[in-house]
Amino acid sequence: MSRTSRTTNPLTGVVVATALPYRRDPSAPAGLAVDHDAYADHCRWLVDNGCDGVGPNGSLGEYSSLTDDERRTVARTAIEAVRGRGKVVVGVHGPGSHQAVRWAEAAAEDGADGVLCLPPTMYRANPAEVVAHFEAVAGVGLPVMVYNNPADTKVDLTPRLLAEIAQIDNVLAVKEFSGDVRRVLEIKERAPGIDVISGADDVALESLLMGATGWFAGFPNVFPAESARLFRLAAEGRLAEARALYRPLVAAFRWDSRTEFVQAIKLGMEMVGRYGGPCRPPRGPLIPAHREQITAEMRQAIDFLATEGQRG
């Protein structure tokens, strides 16, 4: 079968699952309207700081809280913002394949480089249904990164199942978010035709050292240049330097795997002088204990990077 080669796979590298800014607007859903100008600026800032691309309409992008019109416009905004300078991998998650296919078709029409797709999002699909879901999405023709997030979807794309999914034309990668770094090598053994992309920030270095070729990441919304550097150090096998950079950041990175990851990352953005802002329901404000902990762990990372910058 024909397949894009690893050397030309547009789904590798550091692709940032972009946080979505809102502005207050009483007429908008939940009183919050998407701030497309701020979002475009954020996408450009990420690419300008060394990230390879952006991923609109992921869970971090609060896709499930958007109207259909908002969701399409967010993807178009990202594509237009980084066109010619960075890749755009659009989230096309949907309850069923007919919804996911519709979003993939829109992404193709709008000029996306690829799509990120969960299994059916509101149904615990069996393996045959999962394969059929991805076959339908891949049939649109864009490169597909399947997304393994068993904690949220209750569907586990095991290495054995991925070996079958990998046979689908246009499925080029898996965003692996199980948190089990042992899977990187097993996926590479069972499904050598697809790239493994680290999906959890707090196992990013471990996954990259085991052979992951990308990082679909959350905290580069806060630390883009440093995250891009971490990726390069790992890719080049410069372990001592990579560990020295990773260790002071990983406490903050652990929030990427927690329920409050969107609020945590937006708070981190505020702490480095970017706009984070509120979230739409069902996500609410951080409780004081979480805000205090995130602030302390973010401060540790920020202070380390400031010291490192002075040394450089």
Side-chain angles (χ1 to χ4, degrees), residues 97 119-120 123-136 155 161:
S97 60
Y123 170 69
R124 189 177 296 182
N126 65 37
E129 293 166 334
V130 170
V131 171
H133 184 82
F134 290 130
E135 284 177 336
V155 175
L161 179 54

Side-chain angles (χ1 to χ4, degrees), residues 6 9-17 50-54 87 89 145 173 195-199 208 212-217 220 227-228 231-232 235:
R6 283 174 180 261
N9 187 345
L11 305 180
T12 56
V14 180
V15 177
V16 186
C51 297
D52 296 293
V54 296
K87 63 188 75 176
V89 182
M145 182 188 300
D195 282 271
V196 181
I197 308 300
S198 178
L208 293 168
T213 55
W215 179 13
F216 206 103
S227 298
F231 180 85
R232 290 194 303 272

Side-chain angles (χ1 to χ4, degrees), residues 222 264-278 291:
V222 184
I265 288 170
K266 286 188 171 185
L267 174 56
M269 292 167 64
E270 299 276 0
M271 290 182 66
V272 297
R274 304 294 296 175
Y275 176 73
R291 175 172 286 273

Side-chain angles (χ1 to χ4, degrees), residues 199-285:
D201 291 359
D202 56 336
V203 292
L205 179 57
E206 295 88 337
S207 298
L208 293 168
L209 293 176
M210 288 300 100
T213 55
W215 179 13
F216 206 103
F219 268 91
N221 281 284
V222 184
F223 305 119
E226 296 80 6
S227 298
R229 180 179 167 219
L230 178 65
F231 180 85
R232 290 194 303 272
L233 291 172
E236 295 168 6
R238 296 160 64 182
L239 178 56
E241 293 170 85
R243 287 180 61 185
L245 177 57
Y246 185 58
R247 187 171 182 177
L249 304 181
V250 77
F253 281 9
R254 291 189 186 111
W255 285 94
D256 185 53
S257 297
R258 296 172 180 161
T259 301
E260 302 82 9
F261 72 109
V262 182
Q263 298 97 317
I265 288 170
K266 286 188 171 185
L267 174 56
M269 292 167 64
E270 299 276 0
M271 290 182 66
V272 297
R274 304 294 296 175
Y275 176 73
C279 300
R280 269 194 186 160
R283 296 188 181 278

Side-chain angles (χ1 to χ4, degrees), residues 61-295:
E62 302 177 69
Y63 79 92
S64 60
S65 297
L66 301 178
T67 68
D68 284 0
D69 287 344
E70 288 174 327
R71 186 169 170 179
R72 178 113 189 232
T73 305
V74 164
R76 286 173 167 169
T77 299
I79 292 165
E80 184 61 32
V82 304
R83 191 186 302 275
R85 299 189 300 125
K87 63 188 75 176
V88 181
V89 182
V90 177
V92 297
H93 321 302
S97 60
H98 55 296
Q99 292 104 324
V101 164
R102 178 164 61 88
W103 290 118
E105 289 172 342
E109 291 172 8
D110 294 337
D113 297 286
V115 297
L116 174 71
C117 188
L118 285 164
T121 56
M122 299 178 69
Y123 170 69
R124 189 177 296 182
N126 65 37
E129 293 166 334
V130 170
V131 171
H133 184 82
F134 290 130
E135 284 177 336
V137 172
V140 172
L142 281 177
V144 176
M145 182 188 300
V146 301
Y147 183 2
N148 185 38
N149 187 344
D152 290 337
T153 65
K154 311 305 178 187
V155 175
D156 191 358
L157 305 183
T158 64
R160 186 179 298 274
L161 179 54
L162 282 168
E164 185 174 356
I165 294 169
Q167 301 306 308
I168 303 171
D169 283 339
N170 298 319
V171 172
L172 303 187
V174 55
K175 177 180 176 180
E176 170 48 38
F177 197 80
S178 71
D180 184 354
V181 296
R182 296 172 299 179
R183 289 193 174 193
V184 176
L185 290 176
E186 188 176 357
I187 293 168
K188 289 168 68 66
E189 292 164 3
R190 291 182 177 271
I194 65 173
D195 282 271
V196 181
I197 308 300
S198 178
D201 291 359
D202 56 336
V203 292
L205 179 57
E206 295 88 337
S207 298
L208 293 168
L209 293 176
M210 288 300 100
T213 55
W215 179 13
F216 206 103
F219 268 91
N221 281 284
V222 184
F223 305 119
E226 296 80 6
S227 298
R229 180 179 167 219
L230 178 65
F231 180 85
R232 290 194 303 272
L233 291 172
E236 295 168 6
R238 296 160 64 182
L239 178 56
E241 293 170 85
R243 287 180 61 185
L245 177 57
Y246 185 58
R247 187 171 182 177
L249 304 181
V250 77
F253 281 9
R254 291 189 186 111
W255 285 94
D256 185 53
S257 297
R258 296 172 180 161
T259 301
E260 302 82 9
F261 72 109
V262 182
Q263 298 97 317
I265 288 170
K266 286 188 171 185
L267 174 56
M269 292 167 64
E270 299 276 0
M271 290 182 66
V272 297
R274 304 294 296 175
Y275 176 73
C279 300
R280 269 194 186 160
R283 296 188 181 278
L286 291 163
I287 64 172
H290 286 163
R291 175 172 286 273
E292 181 179 356
Q293 184 180 352
I294 295 164
T295 298

